[in-house]
Amino acid sequence: MNLKEYIKEKYEGRSDWFVEEVQSVTNQQRVMNVMNLKNYLNGQHKILQKPNEKFGGKEYVPRKIVLNHALTLTNFQVSFLLQNPVTIIGKERIVKEYQKINRQGKYDRLNYRIMDKMIKFGQVYEYVYLDKNVIRSKLIDATEGFPVWNDVNEMIAFIQAYMVDGIDYYIVYSEDVVEVYDNKGGELRMTGRFANLSGLPIIYKTMNEINENEGKSELENWISILDSLEDLTSRAVDAYYKYITGIPVITGQQLKGEGLPDVIGAGLVLDDGASFEFVSNKFDSQAFDTLYETLLNALYTVAHMPAIAVGRTDISNVSTEAVRILYQLAMMKAVQNEQFMREGIEQRFERIRRLLAYKGVTFTDDEFVSLGLVFQYALPSSDKEIIENMKALREMGGISIHTMLEQNPYVHDVQQELTRLKEENDTTYSSGVDNKTQDVVLMKM
């Protein structure tokens, strides 16, 4: 089913079909879920809704401690995968062109933003376009993007909808046309119609067991544990301050005065055998530590966060191999996230190839197929060991210069480094300078 058939069957061919599509229950539920996640990241946690209590006959405002661990966990996952820029590999001619586009479009920064949004909200969208003969991309937020799927689960259109100053704006993407609408003045109107050179926007999404067309936010796996941590911490602090003061207890007869004096430093006169003490509940710090550590360990396990990354493990005299074992969970998650990013970036390469063809730059299928991506995880390691291993492999003829540069922790642009090495190897002294002149120059130096 194509877009025209879809509109005819579902919306009876109405020209404003996209408005109803955006306002469908399914789409609005997804948008509401994303908005709730944004509010959570902004500090609106469940613990803040805790009602006031009565204590000592008066209203007591309980502690409401907010722990923003979610930001730390998302930052770790994004940085672990993309702290080092993604390396483009392949045949020389196409790699040079794509690296040029990568720098002009600032795609390294864009990749970081895409990964951040994808982890936090489950999905994000990218549209590739030509801007004054330069290929660029724009991100479409999960609350603004609405893919349109046909009955065989193919995306046949995409709608971007947002509101500014009370005016609704709609950008409708089809395979070959982009149409822009707004309701300024109270009536829906078309304000622009343009050729779509790059096709539909790209969807970056995580895995969702229920709906394969949508991603699932990592926050949804963490929030229940984080809520329990905040509740436990808040209750523990309340218990400490409310019950540590204790209750004064007098046993026996008081010889002078009635009750406790209001003056600080005043004493009590008690009969022989009488006693005075403060009775208070004991704060079970050991039980608190056990509960807190259990919840925190569960959180780090679900988030694939190694305890060593937050300083909860002693790392003195730990070998590189031991560090890799400690980071095993993080590497498993990074492999999964890499697949999500790789799928989207490969679609971006196809869009870029299409736009380059409009500029008169074409590549053969063999050149395009040779394009690849290399992700370098931010894994703590000994650069010295890596270089020594590559040196040993090179000496036995087991690795090429190109592969050495790809795995070199100090090189992020392989093609540029190859060019520099070639220039260094081709550099010769000027033929006009004889050996004696060279000796004189060296003596002066």
Side-chain angles (χ1 to χ4, degrees), residues 47-52 61-66 230 234 238:
I47 191 67
L48 297 177
Q49 301 173 7
K50 188 176 181 180
N52 295 345
V61 180
R63 293 296 193 282
K64 302 173 184 179
I65 298 174
V66 173
E230 291 174 342
S234 300
D238 271 340

Side-chain angles (χ1 to χ4, degrees), residues 323-341:
V323 170
R324 291 182 66 87
I325 294 173
L326 292 172
Y327 271 79
Q328 191 64 38
L329 269 179
M331 292 175 65
M332 289 169 55
K333 187 62 178 178
V335 169
Q336 190 179 57
N337 289 334
E338 177 185 330
Q339 297 309 311
F340 302 145
M341 290 295 298

Side-chain angles (χ1 to χ4, degrees), residues 285-301:
S285 60
Q286 186 175 358
F288 170 79
D289 289 342
T290 301
L291 290 171
Y292 189 85
E293 287 296 319
T294 301
L295 288 170
L296 202 59
N297 289 335
L299 176 66
Y300 288 155
T301 300

Side-chain angles (χ1 to χ4, degrees), residues 273-289:
S275 66
F276 171 81
E277 63 179 333
F278 275 98
V279 179
S280 62
N281 293 323
K282 293 183 179 179
F283 184 79
D284 194 346
S285 60
Q286 186 175 358
F288 170 79
D289 289 342

